[in-house]
Amino acid sequence: MKYVTPSVRETAFNCPHCEVLTSQLWYSAHADRLEKERLPFVVGPDQRDEYHFDDIKDAEQRKRLNEWVDKVATGKPMLEPNSQYRSFDATNVHFSKCYECKGVALWIADKIIYPATGTAPPVNVDTPDDIKDDYNEASSILAASPRGAAALLRLAIQKLCKELGQPGKNVNSDIGALVAGGIDRRMQQAFDVLRLVGNDAVHPGQIDLRDDREMAEGLFRLFNVIVEKLISEPKHIGEMYGKLPPEKLMQIEQRDKARGGAPS
Protein backbone atom coordinates (compact mmCIF):
# COMPACT_ATOMS: atom_id res chain seq x y z
CA MET A 1 0.00 0.00 0.00
CA LYS A 2 1.37 3.38 -1.01
CA TYR A 3 2.18 5.77 1.82
CA VAL A 4 2.85 9.48 1.29
CA THR A 5 4.40 11.26 4.26
CA PRO A 6 2.53 14.39 5.38
CA SER A 7 4.45 17.37 4.05
CA VAL A 8 4.00 21.08 3.35
CA ARG A 9 5.18 20.31 -0.16
CA GLU A 10 2.31 17.96 -0.97
CA THR A 11 -1.36 18.47 -1.80
CA ALA A 12 -2.18 14.83 -1.06
CA PHE A 13 -0.76 12.59 1.64
CA ASN A 14 -1.77 10.09 4.30
CA CYS A 15 -3.88 12.01 6.78
CA PRO A 16 -2.37 12.15 10.29
CA HIS A 17 -5.91 11.66 11.65
CA CYS A 18 -7.57 8.93 9.57
CA GLU A 19 -4.40 7.70 7.77
CA VAL A 20 -6.19 7.67 4.38
CA LEU A 21 -4.16 8.78 1.36
CA THR A 22 -6.24 11.66 0.06
CA SER A 23 -6.26 15.32 -0.96
CA GLN A 24 -5.47 17.98 1.62
CA LEU A 25 -6.71 21.56 1.54
CA TRP A 26 -4.20 24.13 2.76
CA TYR A 27 -5.05 27.27 4.76
CA SER A 28 -2.94 30.21 5.84
CA ALA A 29 -3.28 31.49 9.41
CA HIS A 30 -4.22 35.00 10.52
CA ALA A 31 -4.56 36.66 13.89
CA ASP A 32 -6.67 39.38 15.49
CA ARG A 33 -5.45 41.21 18.54
CA LEU A 34 -7.88 40.68 21.41
CA GLU A 35 -9.45 43.68 23.06
CA LYS A 36 -7.61 45.13 26.04
CA GLU A 37 -7.63 42.80 29.08
CA ARG A 38 -9.53 40.17 27.13
CA LEU A 39 -8.24 36.61 27.47
CA PRO A 40 -8.43 33.69 25.00
CA PHE A 41 -11.69 31.75 25.09
CA VAL A 42 -10.70 28.25 26.10
CA VAL A 43 -13.16 25.62 27.33
CA GLY A 44 -12.05 22.24 28.59
CA PRO A 45 -14.33 19.19 28.86
CA ASP A 46 -14.73 19.80 32.59
CA GLN A 47 -16.02 23.35 31.98
CA ARG A 48 -18.46 22.46 29.22
CA ASP A 49 -21.49 22.36 31.54
CA GLU A 50 -20.94 26.00 32.46
CA TYR A 51 -22.24 27.10 29.04
CA HIS A 52 -25.93 26.56 28.21
CA PHE A 53 -27.07 29.86 26.64
CA ASP A 54 -30.53 29.44 28.17
CA ASP A 55 -31.01 33.21 28.09
CA ILE A 56 -31.00 33.21 24.28
CA LYS A 57 -34.58 32.93 23.06
CA ASP A 58 -33.76 32.03 19.45
CA ALA A 59 -33.64 28.20 19.48
CA GLU A 60 -31.59 27.96 16.30
CA GLN A 61 -28.98 30.43 17.57
CA ARG A 62 -28.86 28.64 20.93
CA LYS A 63 -28.30 25.34 19.12
CA ARG A 64 -25.47 26.79 17.00
CA LEU A 65 -23.73 28.22 20.07
CA ASN A 66 -23.99 24.96 21.97
CA GLU A 67 -22.60 23.03 19.01
CA TRP A 68 -19.75 25.53 18.73
CA VAL A 69 -18.83 25.20 22.41
CA ASP A 70 -19.02 21.41 22.07
CA LYS A 71 -16.35 21.64 19.37
CA VAL A 72 -14.20 24.05 21.40
CA ALA A 73 -14.36 21.70 24.39
CA THR A 74 -12.75 18.90 22.38
CA GLY A 75 -9.48 20.85 22.36
CA LYS A 76 -9.06 20.30 18.63
CA PRO A 77 -8.20 23.15 16.24
CA MET A 78 -11.06 24.31 14.04
CA LEU A 79 -11.40 26.27 10.82
CA GLU A 80 -14.35 28.65 10.73
CA PRO A 81 -15.39 31.23 8.14
CA ASN A 82 -14.93 34.81 9.32
CA SER A 83 -15.08 37.86 7.07
CA GLN A 84 -13.76 40.33 9.64
CA TYR A 85 -10.57 42.22 8.91
CA ARG A 86 -7.48 40.41 10.17
CA SER A 87 -4.76 42.37 11.91
CA PHE A 88 -1.82 40.05 11.38
CA ASP A 89 -0.70 37.23 9.15
CA ALA A 90 0.67 34.32 11.16
CA THR A 91 3.84 33.71 9.19
CA ASN A 92 5.02 30.08 8.98
CA VAL A 93 1.77 28.84 10.54
CA HIS A 94 -0.59 26.83 8.34
CA PHE A 95 -3.44 24.37 8.53
CA SER A 96 -4.19 21.33 6.38
CA LYS A 97 -7.68 19.85 6.22
CA CYS A 98 -8.31 16.26 5.19
CA TYR A 99 -10.77 15.79 2.32
CA GLU A 100 -11.82 12.40 3.75
CA CYS A 101 -12.31 12.90 7.51
CA LYS A 102 -12.22 16.74 7.63
CA GLY A 103 -9.59 16.54 10.38
CA VAL A 104 -7.42 19.63 10.75
CA ALA A 105 -3.65 19.52 11.24
CA LEU A 106 -1.63 22.46 12.58
CA TRP A 107 1.79 23.14 11.06
CA ILE A 108 4.61 25.44 12.12
CA ALA A 109 7.11 25.78 9.28
CA ASP A 110 7.40 22.23 7.87
CA LYS A 111 6.49 20.34 11.06
CA ILE A 112 3.14 19.02 12.27
CA ILE A 113 2.37 20.33 15.74
CA TYR A 114 -1.10 18.78 15.96
CA PRO A 115 -2.05 15.96 15.98
CA ALA A 116 0.94 14.47 17.79
CA THR A 117 0.61 11.10 16.10
CA GLY A 118 3.82 11.15 14.11
CA THR A 119 4.46 11.26 10.39
CA ALA A 120 5.81 7.76 9.79
CA PRO A 121 3.78 5.06 8.02
CA PRO A 122 1.34 3.31 10.38
CA VAL A 123 2.88 0.37 12.19
CA ASN A 124 2.12 -3.12 10.88
CA VAL A 125 -0.88 -4.45 12.83
CA ASP A 126 0.90 -7.74 13.55
CA THR A 127 3.72 -6.01 15.43
CA PRO A 128 3.75 -7.15 19.10
CA ASP A 129 2.13 -4.55 21.35
CA ASP A 130 5.19 -3.51 23.36
CA ILE A 131 7.15 -3.06 20.12
CA LYS A 132 4.27 -1.05 18.63
CA ASP A 133 4.71 1.38 21.51
CA ASP A 134 8.37 1.90 20.59
CA TYR A 135 7.48 2.35 16.91
CA ASN A 136 4.73 4.88 17.65
CA GLU A 137 6.97 6.80 20.04
CA ALA A 138 9.64 6.92 17.33
CA SER A 139 7.06 8.18 14.86
CA SER A 140 5.91 10.90 17.26
CA ILE A 141 9.42 12.39 17.46
CA LEU A 142 10.45 11.81 13.84
CA ALA A 143 9.94 15.43 12.77
CA ALA A 144 11.69 16.88 15.82
CA SER A 145 14.50 14.31 16.16
CA PRO A 146 15.21 11.87 13.32
CA ARG A 147 18.21 10.58 15.31
CA GLY A 148 16.03 9.86 18.33
CA ALA A 149 13.51 8.06 16.12
CA ALA A 150 16.27 5.90 14.61
CA ALA A 151 17.56 4.98 18.07
CA LEU A 152 14.08 3.88 19.16
CA LEU A 153 13.67 1.78 16.01
CA ARG A 154 16.98 0.10 16.76
CA LEU A 155 15.54 -0.84 20.17
CA ALA A 156 12.38 -2.09 18.46
CA ILE A 157 14.48 -4.30 16.17
CA GLN A 158 16.31 -5.76 19.17
CA LYS A 159 12.97 -6.63 20.78
CA LEU A 160 11.73 -8.07 17.48
CA CYS A 161 14.74 -10.38 17.35
CA LYS A 162 13.73 -11.74 20.74
CA GLU A 163 10.17 -12.17 19.49
CA LEU A 164 11.63 -14.24 16.63
CA GLY A 165 13.32 -16.63 19.06
CA GLN A 166 16.68 -14.98 19.68
CA PRO A 167 18.16 -13.97 23.07
CA GLY A 168 17.58 -10.27 22.39
CA LYS A 169 20.75 -9.13 24.17
CA ASN A 170 23.03 -8.44 21.21
CA VAL A 171 21.19 -7.43 18.06
CA ASN A 172 24.19 -8.12 15.81
CA SER A 173 24.50 -11.70 17.10
CA ASP A 174 20.74 -12.16 16.86
CA ILE A 175 20.75 -11.10 13.19
CA GLY A 176 23.60 -13.53 12.53
CA ALA A 177 21.57 -16.33 14.10
CA LEU A 178 18.53 -15.44 12.00
CA VAL A 179 20.71 -15.53 8.88
CA ALA A 180 22.04 -18.95 9.89
CA GLY A 181 18.43 -20.01 10.36
CA GLY A 182 17.68 -19.19 6.74
CA ILE A 183 16.04 -15.76 6.59
CA ASP A 184 16.06 -14.08 3.20
CA ARG A 185 19.18 -12.01 2.49
CA ARG A 186 17.00 -8.97 1.87
CA MET A 187 15.65 -9.31 5.41
CA GLN A 188 19.21 -9.49 6.71
CA GLN A 189 20.00 -6.27 4.87
CA ALA A 190 16.92 -4.55 6.30
CA PHE A 191 17.85 -5.66 9.83
CA ASP A 192 21.40 -4.40 9.42
CA VAL A 193 20.32 -1.02 8.04
CA LEU A 194 18.15 -0.46 11.10
CA ARG A 195 20.89 -1.72 13.41
CA LEU A 196 23.71 0.37 11.95
CA VAL A 197 21.76 3.59 11.44
CA GLY A 198 20.29 3.23 14.93
CA ASN A 199 23.77 2.72 16.39
CA ASP A 200 25.17 5.76 14.61
CA ALA A 201 22.22 7.81 15.85
CA VAL A 202 23.43 7.51 19.45
CA HIS A 203 27.18 7.07 18.88
CA PRO A 204 29.58 9.07 16.71
CA GLY A 205 29.50 7.57 13.23
CA GLN A 206 29.40 8.26 9.53
CA ILE A 207 25.60 8.43 9.23
CA ASP A 208 24.08 11.75 10.33
CA LEU A 209 20.30 11.89 10.23
CA ARG A 210 19.95 15.50 11.27
CA ASP A 211 19.78 16.61 7.65
CA ASP A 212 18.53 13.36 6.10
CA ARG A 213 14.81 13.10 6.84
CA GLU A 214 14.30 10.76 3.87
CA MET A 215 16.68 8.19 5.36
CA ALA A 216 14.93 8.40 8.72
CA GLU A 217 11.51 7.89 7.13
CA GLY A 218 12.83 4.92 5.17
CA LEU A 219 13.72 3.14 8.40
CA PHE A 220 10.06 2.90 9.35
CA ARG A 221 9.22 1.32 5.99
CA LEU A 222 12.01 -1.23 6.45
CA PHE A 223 10.71 -2.12 9.89
CA ASN A 224 7.22 -2.77 8.50
CA VAL A 225 8.67 -4.86 5.66
CA ILE A 226 10.47 -7.07 8.20
CA VAL A 227 7.30 -7.59 10.24
CA GLU A 228 5.29 -8.27 7.10
CA LYS A 229 7.70 -10.94 5.83
CA LEU A 230 8.61 -12.63 9.11
CA ILE A 231 5.37 -12.34 11.09
CA SER A 232 2.38 -11.34 8.95
CA GLU A 233 2.96 -13.62 5.96
CA PRO A 234 3.67 -16.78 8.02
CA LYS A 235 0.63 -15.98 10.19
CA HIS A 236 -1.66 -15.55 7.19
CA ILE A 237 -0.35 -18.67 5.43
CA GLY A 238 -0.69 -20.69 8.64
CA GLU A 239 -4.26 -19.53 9.15
CA MET A 240 -5.27 -20.43 5.59
CA TYR A 241 -3.42 -23.75 5.70
CA GLY A 242 -5.16 -24.65 8.95
CA LYS A 243 -8.55 -24.23 7.28
CA LEU A 244 -7.90 -27.05 4.81
CA PRO A 245 -9.99 -30.21 5.41
CA PRO A 246 -8.23 -32.78 7.65
CA GLU A 247 -8.13 -35.36 4.86
CA LYS A 248 -6.32 -32.89 2.61
CA LEU A 249 -3.78 -32.18 5.32
CA MET A 250 -3.24 -35.93 5.74
CA GLN A 251 -2.62 -36.31 2.00
CA ILE A 252 -0.02 -33.53 2.11
CA GLU A 253 1.71 -35.13 5.11
CA GLN A 254 1.81 -38.52 3.39
CA ARG A 255 3.17 -36.96 0.21
CA ASP A 256 5.99 -35.28 2.09
CA LYS A 257 6.83 -38.39 4.08
CA ALA A 258 7.06 -40.35 0.86
CA ARG A 259 9.54 -37.76 -0.45
CA GLY A 260 11.52 -37.93 2.76
CA GLY A 261 10.83 -34.32 3.67
CA ALA A 262 9.03 -32.60 6.46
CA PRO A 263 5.37 -31.67 6.04
CA SER A 264 4.97 -28.33 4.33
Side-chain angles (χ1 to χ4, degrees):
M1 183 182 298
K2 184 178 180 181
Y3 178 84
V4 178
T5 301
S7 169
V8 294
R9 295 172 179 82
E10 300 287 351
T11 56
F13 49 74
N14 286 76
C15 172
H17 291 282
C18 67
E19 300 181 353
V20 172
L21 174 56
T22 187
S23 300
Q24 301 287 331
L25 300 176
W26 283 100
Y27 297 81
S28 57
H30 306 277
D32 283 330
R33 181 174 178 177
L34 297 179
E35 297 175 4
K36 187 177 181 181
E37 297 182 357
R38 184 179 172 187
L39 297 174
F41 181 74
V42 177
V43 179
D46 52 340
Q47 291 105 32
R48 175 61 187 91
D49 292 339
E50 298 175 15
Y51 300 87
H52 295 289
F53 308 104
D54 294 332
D55 57 326
I56 296 178
K57 296 181 180 179
D58 188 313
E60 188 62 31
Q61 184 182 5
R62 188 167 61 249
K63 177 184 177 183
R64 287 197 302 270
L65 284 170
N66 275 305
E67 289 176 346
W68 181 76
V69 175
D70 283 341
K71 292 179 181 179
V72 173
T74 66
K76 299 177 181 179
M78 299 182 295
L79 294 176
E80 298 181 290
N82 191 323
S83 59
Q84 291 182 349
Y85 176 76
R86 297 295 182 181
S87 303
F88 300 95
D89 287 329
T91 305
N92 262 353
V93 179
H94 295 86
F95 296 92
S96 59
K97 185 177 181 181
C98 176
Y99 179 82
E100 186 72 21
C101 73
K102 312 307 179 188
V104 175
L106 169 63
W107 299 70
I108 294 181
D110 61 349
K111 295 180 175 59
I112 292 182
I113 304 303
Y114 174 88
T117 55
T119 56
V123 66
N124 185 300
V125 295
D126 291 320
T127 305
D129 288 341
D130 64 324
I131 305 177
K132 276 183 185 177
D133 292 340
D134 293 328
Y135 183 101
N136 289 330
E137 183 179 352
S139 177
S140 71
I141 66 171
L142 173 58
S145 177
R147 291 190 301 169
L152 280 169
L153 285 181
R154 190 243 182 238
L155 174 63
I157 279 296
Q158 185 166 351
K159 290 182 178 180
L160 187 61
C161 286
K162 188 172 183 178
E163 193 72 25
L164 295 170
Q166 303 307 315
K169 294 181 179 180
N170 184 303
V171 67
N172 189 40
S173 299
D174 289 347
I175 294 171
L178 289 170
V179 171
I183 67 166
D184 188 286
R185 178 165 177 78
R186 290 170 297 180
M187 291 300 97
Q188 167 261 307
Q189 292 173 344
F191 269 109
D192 279 323
V193 168
L194 284 156
R195 175 180 67 87
L196 292 171
V197 176
N199 284 346
D200 275 14
V202 293
H203 301 293
Q206 296 179 340
I207 303 172
D208 190 347
L209 293 180
R210 284 174 293 188
D211 298 317
D212 196 345
R213 173 72 177 272
E214 185 177 351
M215 165 69 88
E217 291 174 353
L219 298 178
F220 289 87
R221 296 187 179 89
L222 283 184
F223 181 92
N224 281 331
V225 167
I226 291 173
V227 175
E228 178 67 25
K229 292 296 182 181
L230 300 185
I231 295 181
S232 298
E233 288 187 2
K235 174 185 174 182
H236 179 64
I237 292 170
E239 288 173 349
M240 296 302 295
Y241 189 79
K243 292 179 181 179
L244 291 174
E247 60 272 18
K248 299 296 184 183
L249 294 173
M250 182 63 70
Q251 291 174 7
I252 295 171
E253 184 176 354
Q254 291 173 347
R255 177 201 68 193
D256 291 332
K257 282 183 177 179
R259 294 172 56 191
S264 59

